[in-house]
Amino acid sequence: IIKSSFLIVIPSSIIFGAVIFFLAEIISVRLFHAPSLTTTIQIFAIGVPLYANFEVVLGIFRGLQNAKYNAFLKNIFESFVRLILTILFIFLGFKVFGASIAYILGLGASLIFSLWFLYKTMKIFKGVETVPMIKEVITYSWPLTFSGMLFVVAGKIDTLMLAHFMDVRSVG
């Protein structure tokens, strides 16, 4: 299941991130009415595959019922790296661009560290024969994907609506 999850998430997240990257100008102009957001949207589009794969690793820890590793990686390590990098880039004068880059670099560092941590602590990659289960994983997870997207949109609908009808500076 783990290998199948990565085989699904890696290409789909790269495609989704590429679509956002190339549509960044349209998104920034038509949705947010702020052409200056194009670069920021493109930077965050690069983070889509990083975030998706990081969430797969966190899901593996949840599935193995190791909440302490999940909490450490997400709530402590990722937050700490992102905070330090954000402070550093803003201190160096990069402003929003620097904060965006810091977020992506923090995700990248978190993904690399979590993969290493998974490999070292769980030993799940050693001596395990993999059985492709792509069809089963897709069949099980596609309804969860849409419900997850709806959950995210429902949680952010107020911000999205404000961003659409007001200028970016007023929304925050």
Side-chain angles (χ1 to χ4, degrees):
I1 291 177
I2 293 170
K3 183 177 180 180
S4 297
S5 298
F6 281 114
L7 287 174
I8 293 167
V9 169
I10 290 171
S12 62
S13 64
I14 289 172
I15 290 168
F16 190 68
V19 168
I20 293 172
F21 184 88
F22 291 115
L23 294 178
E25 186 174 356
I26 294 169
I27 294 168
S28 65
V29 171
R30 292 193 181 166
L31 182 63
F32 297 115
H33 310 291
S36 62
L37 286 179
T38 302
T39 305
T40 304
I41 292 170
Q42 288 176 326
I43 291 169
F44 280 107
I46 293 168
V48 169
L50 300 174
Y51 180 77
N53 287 285
F54 183 56
E55 285 296 320
V56 169
V57 175
L58 294 177
I60 292 168
F61 282 120
R62 277 191 305 273
L64 296 172
Q65 298 179 352
N66 282 319
K68 63 182 177 182
Y69 297 145
N70 193 343
F72 169 74
L73 290 168
K74 181 75 174 167
N75 300 333
I76 297 172
F77 184 80
E78 182 194 18
S79 298
F80 178 75
V81 170
R82 195 175 343 137
L83 176 68
I84 296 300
L85 289 173
T86 302
I87 291 170
L88 177 68
F89 280 112
I90 289 175
F91 180 73
L92 293 173
F94 289 106
K95 300 179 183 174
V96 173
F97 178 76
S100 303
I101 294 293
Y103 188 87
I104 300 308
L105 290 176
L107 271 175
S110 298
L111 175 61
I112 291 167
F113 181 72
S114 66
L115 287 169
W116 175 82
F117 194 70
L118 180 67
Y119 181 78
K120 288 296 183 184
T121 60
M122 305 316 253
K123 309 282 188 220
I124 64 171
F125 296 118
K126 294 183 180 178
V128 176
E129 189 175 323
T130 60
V131 178
M133 298 182 69
I134 294 175
K135 183 178 178 183
E136 292 85 351
V137 171
I138 290 174
T139 303
Y140 177 78
S141 63
W142 78 267
L144 298 173
T145 302
F146 291 114
S147 66
M149 282 190 229
L150 287 173
F151 182 73
V152 169
V153 170
K156 302 285 185 187
I157 195 71
D158 54 342
T159 306
L160 291 171
M161 295 298 280
L162 286 172
H164 180 69
F165 292 113
M166 298 178 72
D167 62 34
V168 175
R169 183 156 291 170
S170 299
V171 176

